[in-house]
Amino acid sequence: MSAAEGTAPVPAPAPSAGKVKAFLRLVMIEHSVFALPFAYIASLTAMFRTGGAIDWWTLLLVTVAMVGLRTFAMAANRIIDREIDARNPRTAGRELVTGAVSVRSAWTGALIALAVFLGAAALLNPLCLVLAPVAVVPMVVYPYGKRFTNFPQAILGLAQGMGPVGGWLAVTGTWSWEAVVLGLAVGVWIGGFDLIYACQDVESDRATGVRSVPARFGVPAAIRGARGCHAVTMALFAWYALATDGGPLLWLGLLIVAGAFLYEHTIVKPTDLSRLNRAFFQTNGFIGITLFVCATADLLVRGLTL
């Protein structure tokens, strides 16, 4: 009996499962690693200040809200940009362009994700629910930004910077300027590395009329802008550490993050974008996870209890 004969046939995945997988590829669910750690940092810091213990239920709701909002934002982005994506060789293989995901399915997934976000916000506290639409608006405006401004990354930064503010509000139900500082840091950081990411589409953007900093001012200007953004990000991270009386482990995390930024801008140059994906995905993912681990360890050492 051959190996093939002795192996039980593997059932084909159900069509619905295939659609779900295609939708998750569409929204790049794994990229939640960029913003989610900073919502956690804000939430855990607020818990440390208010009660000294981790509220796991609240942390779960923060996770659900963040993933729901980001999923809605990515799905809406892909739907709105599908015609632009079809004209760009780099993005012509995206699911809405190839038909792997239909527009109807994408809208269905987006609206389900939005409902999940609003439901989580309602379970957190009334203020989170009232302010939820404020978080949704820039998520929808961003994909249109490249049609009317050369600085769509500023809109993206505003959208992403709301995560830490929301995380703090989820715990306390009150405004926090410390969370705003952290949110600004996240927004400037993400806006900065999106400047780098946009450099690979310069020729296509110019040909199709898509507006961006690299398309309008050139790749060298975009790279310089990203470096400036990340210098400001480090200053804002330091401000947050000072404002929240961060301990040695948090400062160690900031030191590591500074090194990661230096590495990122060493491997990406105006004349060499060959390692752009490494800078975008690996380095920036490392930054988020590293700062989360160090900030959490710092809070635990200072007295945050599980």
Side-chain angles (χ1 to χ4, degrees):
M1 183 171 61
S2 69
E5 291 171 334
T7 303
V10 178
S16 58
K19 289 182 179 180
V20 170
K21 288 181 180 179
F23 179 77
L24 293 179
R25 289 196 303 271
L26 173 77
V27 299
M28 303 176 77
I29 194 70
E30 68 276 7
H31 287 190
S32 298
V33 72
F34 293 140
L36 193 55
F38 296 93
Y40 287 154
I41 291 172
S43 297
L44 292 173
T45 304
M47 291 174 188
F48 172 69
R49 286 194 164 187
T50 56
I54 296 177
D55 182 341
W56 292 101
W57 173 245
T58 298
L59 208 59
L60 174 62
L61 289 176
V62 168
T63 305
V64 172
M66 287 288 295
V67 173
L69 180 59
R70 188 199 166 279
T71 300
F72 165 76
M74 282 296 297
N77 190 331
R78 293 291 191 255
I79 293 167
I80 294 166
D81 277 354
R82 64 188 186 279
E83 292 182 1
I84 291 175
D85 288 342
R87 298 196 296 268
N88 184 336
R90 184 182 66 83
T91 58
R94 285 178 174 171
E95 289 74 14
L96 280 172
V97 179
T98 64
V101 175
S102 68
V103 174
R104 180 178 179 179
S105 295
W107 271 123
T108 299
L111 293 176
I112 290 172
L114 180 60
V116 168
F117 165 65
L118 294 174
L123 289 172
L124 283 164
N125 58 60
L127 184 59
C128 284
L129 180 59
V130 169
L131 293 178
V134 178
V136 172
V137 169
M139 302 295 183
V140 177
V141 172
Y142 166 64
Y144 289 108
K146 60 179 70 73
R147 293 163 170 82
F148 63 81
T149 177
N150 292 316
F151 305 96
Q153 286 78 21
I155 304 173
L156 177 64
L158 175 63
Q160 297 296 328
M162 292 186 180
V165 178
W168 198 293
L169 286 172
V171 174
T172 67
T174 58
W175 187 258
S176 164
W177 287 108
E178 293 95 331
V180 171
V181 171
L182 183 59
L184 285 172
V186 172
V188 175
W189 166 53
I190 291 181
F193 74 64
D194 199 58
L195 283 175
I196 299 174
Y197 193 68
C199 288
Q200 61 190 321
D201 294 327
V202 168
E203 297 304 324
S204 175
D205 287 350
R206 288 172 175 168
T208 57
V210 173
R211 303 174 73 172
S212 70
V213 171
R216 172 64 179 82
F217 302 102
V219 171
I223 298 297
R224 289 194 298 270
R227 290 171 181 169
C229 285
H230 292 159
V232 172
T233 298
M234 284 307 307
L236 289 167
F237 279 152
W239 185 359
Y240 176 78
L242 291 170
T244 56
D245 300 316
L249 289 175
L250 178 56
W251 287 102
L252 174 62
L254 294 184
L255 183 63
I256 296 172
V257 167
F261 277 136
L262 289 174
Y263 171 74
E264 179 176 11
H265 289 286
T266 298
I267 66 173
V268 177
K269 301 175 182 178
T271 56
D272 182 9
L273 299 177
S274 61
R275 292 183 287 181
L276 185 146
N277 282 332
R278 181 187 300 179
F280 183 81
F281 297 111
Q282 297 179 9
T283 306
N284 288 297
F286 171 81
I287 286 171
I289 293 171
T290 297
L291 200 55
F292 166 68
V293 169
C294 290
T296 302
D298 186 68
L299 289 169
L300 291 172
V301 169
R302 291 163 58 195
L304 180 67
T305 58
L306 300 176

